[in-house]
Amino acid sequence: VRGQLMKTRFGSNSGKTHTICLSLSLYCYTQDCIDSVVIHELTHDTFPNHGKRFYAKLLKYCPDYWFLRRRLLYHIYNEDLLEGKQIDNSPMEEEDDEE
């Protein structure tokens, strides 16, 4: 496991080097958000792509994944910042890193 500066990702898993890299920006998030990224990357050991079976396994170990993913994407570092606001907890499509 390594930490590194990442601009577009929160983590990556290299089957070639057997290394999981986590973004140093995760340091600002709560433990449950960090755990969701670690579980996501570990799930890639079994399923390299983001298919239905990937998400079935991921959600088995991290049932709040979609909620936590949105906290990461919207840069909500602390639950106190929500101030009673609701975050849509429905599944979302994976976004491409290209823009």
Side-chain angles (χ1 to χ4, degrees):
V1 176
R2 296 182 337 185
Q4 68 183 52
L5 293 174
M6 297 177 149
K7 292 182 181 181
T8 60
R9 298 178 180 197
F10 294 106
S12 66
N13 183 335
S14 172
K16 188 175 186 177
T17 61
H18 304 289
T19 302
I20 291 177
C21 294
L22 300 174
S23 172
L24 294 177
S25 69
L26 289 173
Y27 182 77
C28 299
Y29 292 93
T30 57
Q31 187 65 49
D32 56 349
C33 286
I34 297 168
D35 291 345
S36 73
V37 175
V38 171
I39 293 167
H40 179 107
E41 296 309 328
L42 288 173
T43 305
H44 280 302
D45 284 342
T46 308
F47 302 104
N49 299 314
H50 294 109
K52 288 182 182 181
R53 294 183 341 161
F54 172 87
Y55 284 109
K57 183 163 186 161
L58 172 63
L59 293 171
K60 177 180 176 182
Y61 294 100
C62 185
D64 294 333
Y65 176 75
W66 294 115
F67 173 78
L68 298 168
R69 174 99 172 130
R70 279 191 166 69
R71 284 181 45 195
L72 290 165
L73 292 175
Y74 297 135
H75 306 289
I76 300 172
Y77 303 111
N78 186 325
E79 284 185 325
D80 295 337
L81 299 175
L82 288 174
E83 298 175 6
K85 296 178 185 171
Q86 294 292 324
I87 297 177
D88 182 10
N89 198 18
S90 60
M92 57 186 276
E93 297 293 324
E94 277 294 311
E95 296 178 11
D96 292 331
D97 290 336
E98 299 176 23
E99 287 189 30

